[in-house]
């Protein structure tokens, strides 16, 4: 009988906040946090989707930019209202702009027909929709209010969150009615569609339950999840993967709080549909639209996919989710960051086998991806160290540069120079408790032969169980060197490893070494690691590592 997976708890809020990401991941974090300090993100810009002080993108999505800003600044600022020049202003002004009904934006009669964009007879642009975008904005400011309350202890933030939570309870008859299902479906599934805008509110409802203990909010999230499944609003394809993944994340939060397996089963089905249905690219990320053949990705979706897989691992202990999280972190998220430090949209190339490479950078999305990309890197900090509930066993899910502690143990990892085909890390552990600690490092799915040495370079016996490498440390702690051989191996476009004989038949194979996907850069012949693009936003990468691979500028196809 196969052993049950061990599950681990992430770092608490304080220890996660004190974690330092270093190396390339830390650089990614610092670049986006610096970007968000730029002059574009000023008070009037940020509040405009609540008070309509100016014309800018998506003011009809009331609470979207303003809420995302609250969320990331609450997480990154660690309780300092001066962390950003606009933060104190936003903390003061957000409550002033909440409607009596509980939502943000213009007054709405939710019993009226939904004002979605319908084609006009004369071909003119239809009026900008308001109703569904307000729900989307509400879902984003909901989590922002919760994070602001947890970071600053501001009761006004909690009061706003309660009021918004009650809004979802009071509008259930209008927004989750079996009599209006066809009307909901008619709105489509893109950014202003019902399936995209209504159900992400589940996340805020569960978070509100976490901080208040009031069952009514958890029950409302469960009702919404049931409605989503019963009327098939969770079916693929869908035009907004960001919204879809927010729903999957919400299902996992419902399971985390209730421990009812049905919610986990719903989330697992959504995950399986995405992966097995070909919606996840070789770089580990998703397209902006969950429609095979769509021509670009979206930073928000990569950020969501990372946090979804991390939460899946926390709840199930299945390392397949860490493998996917590592893939998107080191590939798709990395190449989605542009020269400004922001995130946005990267062009995607195709051949007859599916996604075949990445084209030029399309645009930075200051209205969403910059915030969501920053958020997911803060969330990542919770998962660099994990513990069993009794704190006797510590797990290190990823080998990249960081410093973190659990309170009783601290870990510092730094990548070292290594021979070609190897990767090597120095792991320093300090124990701040009387008892010994058992420690294990995840063995990645890409690892070849693993060697372990003490701090003096003496070889140690490698103890492995399933996908874990065990480290024995005493009360004083110790230093170790972990060396992993990283063979280049082949995969098909759906993450299945191929033997050389298969690859000869499988023309659509891709190459991978370590956590990195390999590709041929335009004008070159040898495969290289996918790199950041700020040095050349016109760079094109082709997965098919053959000298004859070229890009057709007209069709976006790889020949």
């Amino acid at each position: 009988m196969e052993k049950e997976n061990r599950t681990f708890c992430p770092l608490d809020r304080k220890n996660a906040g004190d974690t330092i990401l270093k190396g390339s991941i830390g650089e990614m974090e610092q670049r986006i946090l610096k970007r968000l300090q730029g002059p574009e993100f000023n008070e009037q810009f940020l509040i405009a989707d609540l008070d309509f002080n100016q014309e800018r993108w998506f003011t009809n999505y009331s609470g979207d930019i303003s809420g995302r800003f609250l969320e990331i600044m609450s997480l990154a600022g660690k309780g300092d209202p001066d962390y950003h020049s606009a933060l104190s202003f936003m903390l003061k002004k957000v409550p002033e702009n909440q409607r009596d009904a509980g939502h943000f934006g213009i007054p709405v009669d939710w019993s009226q027909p939904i004002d979605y964009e319908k084609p006009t007879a004369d071909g003119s642009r239809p009026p900008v929709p308001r109703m569904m975008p307000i729900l989307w904005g509400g879902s984003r400011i909901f989590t922002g209010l919760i994070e602001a309350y947890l970071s600053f202890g501001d009761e006004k933030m909690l009061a706003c969150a309660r009021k918004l939570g009650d809004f979802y309870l009071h509008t259930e008859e209008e927004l989750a009615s079996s009599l209006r299902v066809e009307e909901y479906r008619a709105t489509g599934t893109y950014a202003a569609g019902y399936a995209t805008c209504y159900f992400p509110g589940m996340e805020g409802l569960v978070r509100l339950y976490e901080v208040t203990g009031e069952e009514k909010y958890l029950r409302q999230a469960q009702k919404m999840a049931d409605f989503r499944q019963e009327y098939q609003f969770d079916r693929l394809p869908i035009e907004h993967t960001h919204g879809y993944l927010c729903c999957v994340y919400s299902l996992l939060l419902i399971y985390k709080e209730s421990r009812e397996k049905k919610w986990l089963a719903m989330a697992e089905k959504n995950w399986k549909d995405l992966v097995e249905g070909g919606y996840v690219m070789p770089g580990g990320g998703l397209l902006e639209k969950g429609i095979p053949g769509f021509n670009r990705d979206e930073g928000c979706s990569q950020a969501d996919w990372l946090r979804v897989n991390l939460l899946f691992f926390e709840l199930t202990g299945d390392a397949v989710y860490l493998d996917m999280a590592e893939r998107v972190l080191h590939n798709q998220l990395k190449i989605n960051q542009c020269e400004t430090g922001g995130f946005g949209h990267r062009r995607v190339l195709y051949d007859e086998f599916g996604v075949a490479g990445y084209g030029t950078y399309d645009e930075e999305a200051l209205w969403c991806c910059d915030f969501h990309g920053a958020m997911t890197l803060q969330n990542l900090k919770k998962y660099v160290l994990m513990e069993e509930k009794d704190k006797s066993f510590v797990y290190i899910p990823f080998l990249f540069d960081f410093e973190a502690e659990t309170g009783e143990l601290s870990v510092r990892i730094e990548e070292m120079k290594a021979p070609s085909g190897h990767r090597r890390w120095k792991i320093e552990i300090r124990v701040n408790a009387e008892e010994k600690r058992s420690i294990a490092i995840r063995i990645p799915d890409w690892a070849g032969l693993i060697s372990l040495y003490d701090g003096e370079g003496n070889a140690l016996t490698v103890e492995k169980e399933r996908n874990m490498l065990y480290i024995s440390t005493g009360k004083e702690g110790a230093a170790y060197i972990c060396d992993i051989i990283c063979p280049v191996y082949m995969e098909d476009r759906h993450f299945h490893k191929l033997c050389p004989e298969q690859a000869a038949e499988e023309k659509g194979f891709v190459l991978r070494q370590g956590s990195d996907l390999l590709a041929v850069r335009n004008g070159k012949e040898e495969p290289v690691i996918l790199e950041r693009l700020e040095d050349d936003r016109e760079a094109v990468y082709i997965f098919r590592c053959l000298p004859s691979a070229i890009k057709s500028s007209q069709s976006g196809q790889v020949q």
Side-chain angles (χ1 to χ4, degrees):
M1 178 180 286
E2 188 175 343
K3 288 185 179 180
E4 187 175 343
N5 294 323
R6 300 175 78 162
T7 57
F8 305 96
C9 302
L11 291 175
D12 62 27
R13 191 179 185 85
K14 180 185 182 305
N15 287 327
D18 291 338
T19 293
I20 303 171
L21 301 178
K22 295 188 167 185
S24 61
I25 305 301
E27 185 182 3
M28 191 188 305
E29 178 203 14
Q30 292 308 309
R31 291 175 69 232
I32 182 55
L33 291 179
K34 182 179 179 182
R35 175 63 175 136
L36 292 175
Q37 296 286 349
E40 298 91 340
F41 301 97
N42 58 68
E43 296 173 354
Q44 297 307 308
F45 172 83
L46 294 165
I47 201 72
D49 57 31
L50 301 184
D51 70 3
F52 311 109
N53 69 77
Q54 62 180 260
E55 295 259 347
R56 68 145 166 84
W57 315 286
F58 308 126
T59 53
N60 54 326
Y61 289 78
S62 295
D64 193 7
I65 288 179
S66 51
R68 292 175 192 266
F69 174 83
L70 274 187
E71 181 179 29
I72 180 55
M73 293 305 152
S74 298
L75 288 166
K78 296 187 293 186
D80 179 5
D82 296 322
Y83 178 74
H84 190 285
S85 60
L87 183 51
S88 292
F89 170 85
M90 293 296 289
L91 290 168
K92 178 177 182 294
K93 291 295 184 182
V94 164
E96 296 176 7
N97 284 278
Q98 189 171 25
R99 293 286 172 184
D100 291 340
H103 70 275
F104 292 84
I106 64 171
V108 175
D109 180 351
W110 298 98
S111 67
Q112 294 299 304
I114 298 172
D115 61 336
Y116 62 94
E117 285 191 77
K118 308 180 190 73
T120 57
D122 61 2
S124 62
R125 185 175 178 83
V128 173
R130 294 282 186 173
M131 296 171 77
M132 293 300 102
I134 284 174
L135 295 179
W136 172 262
S139 74
R140 305 301 4 117
I141 203 168
F142 208 158
T143 55
L145 291 167
I146 298 293
E147 291 298 346
Y149 168 69
L150 292 172
S151 289
F152 304 107
D154 188 338
E155 292 293 335
K156 289 183 179 179
M157 296 293 106
L158 181 57
C160 283
R162 284 181 186 273
K163 197 172 176 180
L164 184 52
D166 291 339
F167 162 79
Y168 280 94
L169 272 67
H170 297 153
T171 56
E172 180 183 0
E173 186 175 332
E174 292 83 8
L175 297 175
S177 169
S178 60
L179 301 177
R180 300 184 71 180
V181 167
E182 291 310 313
E183 182 185 1
Y184 303 150
R185 287 205 178 101
T187 66
T189 61
Y190 193 42
Y194 170 82
T196 293
C197 296
Y198 178 57
F199 298 109
M202 296 184 292
E203 180 180 351
L205 286 163
V206 183
R207 297 295 309 281
L208 185 56
Y209 166 73
E210 288 176 11
V211 299
T212 66
E214 294 186 46
E215 292 277 350
K216 63 181 181 179
Y217 299 121
L218 179 60
R219 285 198 302 270
Q220 181 60 30
Q222 291 170 329
K223 288 180 182 179
M224 292 165 68
D226 275 332
F227 192 84
R228 176 176 178 262
Q229 182 188 54
E230 180 179 358
Y231 292 100
Q232 301 185 358
F233 289 107
D234 62 343
R235 296 300 187 264
L236 297 169
I238 195 167
E239 291 190 296
H240 200 270
T241 57
H242 174 22
Y244 188 88
L245 292 173
C246 286
C247 295
V248 180
Y249 190 76
S250 300
L251 293 173
L252 292 172
L253 290 179
I254 294 172
Y255 170 66
K256 182 178 180 180
E257 295 303 321
S258 69
R259 291 295 164 175
E260 293 180 45
K261 291 286 188 180
K262 65 176 282 189
W263 312 113
L264 178 61
M266 283 186 191
E268 288 175 331
K269 182 183 184 304
N270 289 172
W271 190 93
K272 186 176 180 180
D273 288 347
L274 287 166
V275 174
E276 295 185 359
Y279 294 92
V280 184
M281 294 178 278
L286 283 86
L287 298 163
E288 176 190 2
K289 294 187 178 185
I291 300 173
F294 191 68
N295 63 1
R296 68 180 193 173
D297 71 355
E298 179 178 352
C300 289
S301 300
Q302 319 325 319
D304 278 327
W305 191 231
L306 176 58
R307 68 173 183 153
V308 161
N309 280 281
L310 291 173
L311 186 52
F312 257 122
F313 174 73
E314 176 189 339
L315 298 175
T316 68
D318 191 338
V320 69
Y321 299 115
L322 290 181
D323 295 336
M324 186 63 78
E326 184 175 62
R327 184 185 291 259
V328 65
L329 175 65
H330 287 285
N331 295 282
Q332 197 83 34
L333 189 66
K334 178 177 69 174
I335 64 168
N336 186 272
Q337 191 170 32
C338 66
E339 73 275 10
T340 67
F343 294 91
H345 299 281
R346 183 80 187 273
R347 290 285 169 178
V348 175
L349 308 175
Y350 291 86
D351 63 11
E352 65 272 28
F353 300 102
V355 172
Y358 298 109
T360 57
Y361 206 84
D362 197 5
E363 63 177 339
E364 179 186 3
L366 286 80
W367 49 90
C368 58
C369 298
D370 283 0
F371 299 105
H372 223 56
M375 176 279 296
T376 205
L377 292 170
Q378 298 306 306
N379 182 67
L380 173 65
K381 293 180 179 182
K382 296 192 300 184
Y383 294 97
V384 296
L385 280 185
M386 303 180 75
E387 292 182 303
E388 286 194 327
K389 285 186 178 180
D390 64 2
K391 299 186 181 299
S392 64
F393 190 93
V394 177
Y395 185 59
I396 302 174
F398 302 108
L399 286 171
F400 58 70
D401 294 9
F402 70 84
E403 292 182 20
E405 63 177 73
T406 66
E408 297 181 340
L409 176 143
S410 60
V411 174
R412 180 176 182 271
I413 295 182
E414 182 178 6
E415 187 158 10
M416 307 169 65
K417 288 185 178 180
S420 177
H422 291 240
R423 294 188 71 177
R424 184 175 293 172
W425 294 267
K426 184 175 183 180
I427 304 168
E428 296 178 327
I429 299 170
R430 293 201 317 272
V431 179
N432 309 315
E434 290 301 316
E435 299 84 12
K436 291 183 178 181
R437 286 291 180 269
S438 298
I439 300 170
I441 300 168
R442 164 178 155 264
I443 300 174
D445 63 339
W446 45 261
L449 180 67
I450 300 175
S451 302
L452 189 65
Y453 306 89
D454 65 19
E456 304 300 318
N458 301 306
L460 300 173
T461 301
V462 174
E463 296 182 40
K464 295 190 292 185
E465 180 185 346
R466 299 177 73 183
N467 59 359
M468 293 184 185
L469 168 68
Y470 288 91
I471 293 177
S472 176
T473 184
K475 298 177 183 178
E476 311 80 26
Y480 302 89
I481 295 170
C482 180
D483 183 279
I484 303 180
I485 293 178
C486 305
V488 175
Y489 64 88
M490 290 163 281
E491 292 181 336
D492 64 18
R493 303 285 172 84
H494 302 289
F495 320 117
H496 303 118
K497 288 185 178 180
L498 302 171
C499 66
E501 293 77 15
Q502 286 175 297
E505 301 296 324
E506 175 60 71
K507 295 181 181 179
F509 72 84
V510 299
L511 297 181
R512 195 174 177 213
Q513 183 174 30
S515 57
D516 300 307
L517 203 61
L518 302 182
V520 174
R521 189 163 173 158
N522 52 326
K524 306 294 183 182
E525 294 187 358
E526 295 300 317
V528 296
I529 292 171
L530 288 175
E531 297 289 356
R532 282 195 342 228
L533 297 182
E534 69 275 7
D535 60 329
D536 181 5
R537 66 186 290 138
E538 300 302 313
V540 173
Y541 290 94
I542 308 298
F543 296 153
R544 189 192 298 176
C545 298
L546 301 171
S548 59
I550 59 171
K551 168 181 171 287
S552 167
S553 59
Q554 277 73 38
S555 65
Q557 300 288 307
V558 177
Q559 306 298 325

